Amino acid sequence: MFEQTEKVLAIYSERGKKRLPLQRVYRQLYKPELYELAYSQIYANKSALTKGTGEETLDGMSIERFERIIQKVKKEQYRWRPVRRTYIPKSDGSLRPLGMPSGDDKLLQAAMKLLLEAYYEPTFSQRSHGFRKYRGCQTALLQITQKHRGMSWFIEGDIKGCFDNIDHKTLIGILAEKIEDNRLLELLRKLLKAGYMEDWIKKGTYSGTPQGGIISPLLTNIYMDKFDQWVEEELLTKYNRKSSQSRVGKRENPEYARLSKRRYKAKVKGDLETYNMLGKQRKNIPSVIVNDEEYRKLEYVRYADDFLLSFSGPKREAKEIKEEIREFLRTELKLELSKEKTLITHAKSEKAKFLGYEISTFESKERPTVNGKIRLGVPKEVITKAKRKYTKKGKPIHRNSRIIDHDLEIIGTFQSEYKGLVEYYRMAHNIHTLSEVGGVAQASLVKTLAAKYKTTVTKIWKKYGTKHTENGTEYKVLEARIEREGKKDLVARFGAVSLARDPKPAHITGKEPKPRMIRSQLIDRLHAEKCEMCGETRDVEVHHVRALKDPKRTGRKSAWAYKMAAMNRKTLAVCRECHLAITYGKHLSKWNEKSLKKTRRNATSK
């Protein structure tokens, strides 16, 4: 089903690699297969059932609904709805605006994203890591450890309200450089101008990409790619230069060269004692002139609206670089650098902040071989903030909000919170400091279970405490287990989380896997045009739930809930009549009739 769409996306990707323009893109939005692929990628998202300004969500998706959207697009009559604006808290205590699109808008955005992403992804800089497939925070940090060594200064860049201040005219102009399709550009322009609803008052959008929109991160990357290109073509070219007396970079240290020559002669003579002695002496001095006035090195990495430049040279030039960046962003992209967050940090004596890590360079007299290498660290405020969730006035407390949950859920929640924190900081040199968080979280977990059963901490340890071996290491853990006959036991445990540093996490590979268009089973079920509750063969659409545990809360009489549990799926392909009954909490007699017939058939076969 997706073969034709896969071919189109592959062609777009090749044109992107060759920097060739795209033409007649709009007509691709006429193909149902594109919407099916888009739907299969977004239906499981947490926001699938989140309402926009109306009641419409991705619930109730059907082949007929795909067709209705296509007809509107064909006639150029599709109208974007204003998004419902809400606010989410930021780490600094302020609020970030977030837009909630309608269900059809999400689907059309996802279809457009598939087309544009296939073309633009190969054109993006290797120094850009935000909102991209097979890239993320850890790939950006890995690039820093490999490319940003031996630096004197870090320039921490933060763009003030980047997503809210993207200039629409400039963005459309950037898109028009490569996309020669006025109808698609007009559809995008209308999306940007659709506005938002706040307190039931419609307000216009005069700048920014619609945060919360599926296509917004891609549009932001397309916009910021102009900045990446300028940095690579202008800034790095201007400030990267080697010493006139060196072919590779800094001038060689004469003392180091003298010792190397003597060491070679000792090797030729077979004087092993002198050879080893000179080797130890050579380790204590740098191989190049550290303060080479001619040498300059500048490196750059970006994640979304945060970027970091590392510079080897005088501070006055670092300030010049910062001002050149400020001027380019202001004049070319209509963006402003944040004065509070855009800092110049000394690499050896201070610590820069990037993606939640502390970044500095090693400086050691005892181990000169590590000098200049990048050190990644867990900030103290991260540990303090993480411990705050489990403590009050510095002491561990139970969490009332978790007492009503099942033991498996309680232990699983504590484990996922702690393990998620550890995995994010897996590359940090001081990852062992997260043991403080683990200890406090464990104490809070035990107290939470003790409060649930109105017992003591000691008795909880006797009931749930055990030992578990993970990767050859034995850990003391808290474990809850439900034994099931003929099935694998349900187990949740807190602990057995290694605090060993991993400089290159296993999921980071040097190669990007070839994208594959995998047909979703949900699309197959939809195309079968058969209600999974009553067997009706018309008006089939999809019923969604946010999580499998949601149907269990509807009571014992919900036949559809048992059906979902048996299938172990969060979706049901049902006819319109059954879907309405499920939505309004009704029970249809034909569900019983179908179950009765099935029971009789099973009995007869036996």
Side-chain angles (χ1 to χ4, degrees), residues 300-313:
Y300 162 76
V301 67
R302 180 178 67 84
Y303 186 95
D305 58 338
D306 293 330
F307 58 88
L308 181 79
L309 290 103
S310 304
F311 181 60
S312 179

Side-chain angles (χ1 to χ4, degrees), residues 241-267:
R241 64 175 183 267
K242 60 186 179 182
S243 173
S244 59
Q245 299 181 31
S246 172
R247 290 180 295 123
V248 292
K250 293 183 179 180
R251 285 178 292 155
E252 188 178 24
N253 187 344
E255 179 64 18
Y256 186 90
R258 186 180 66 81
L259 289 173
S260 295
K261 190 174 182 179
R262 287 179 58 194
R263 192 166 182 254
Y264 176 75
K265 288 181 179 179
K267 181 181 178 181

Side-chain angles (χ1 to χ4, degrees), residues 281-342:
Q281 290 181 16
R282 196 176 66 165
K283 283 184 178 180
N284 294 322
I285 61 174
S287 60
V288 295
I289 301 296
V290 178
N291 298 316
D292 190 339
E293 294 183 359
E294 293 184 12
Y295 175 79
R296 297 288 185 274
K297 184 181 179 182
L298 180 65
E299 266 298 343
Y300 162 76
V301 67
R302 180 178 67 84
Y303 186 95
D305 58 338
D306 293 330
F307 58 88
L308 181 79
L309 290 103
S310 304
F311 181 60
S312 179
K315 188 175 182 179
R316 58 178 175 78
E317 290 186 19
K319 290 181 178 179
E320 289 176 11
I321 293 169
K322 177 182 171 182
E323 291 307 312
E324 286 185 49
I325 291 171
R326 185 189 303 279
E327 183 64 18
F328 176 84
L329 289 172
R330 186 179 63 81
T331 57
E332 299 296 326
L333 297 180
K334 311 294 190 296
L335 296 172
E336 293 290 336
L337 278 180
S338 170
K339 292 182 179 180
E340 300 80 15
K341 297 180 181 179
T342 304

Side-chain angles (χ1 to χ4, degrees), residues 5-17 22 118-119:
T5 301
E6 186 176 6
K7 287 180 182 178
V8 171
L9 297 181
I11 291 170
Y12 282 10
S13 180
E14 283 301 314
R15 292 189 72 83
K17 291 176 184 177
L22 272 187
Y119 176 76

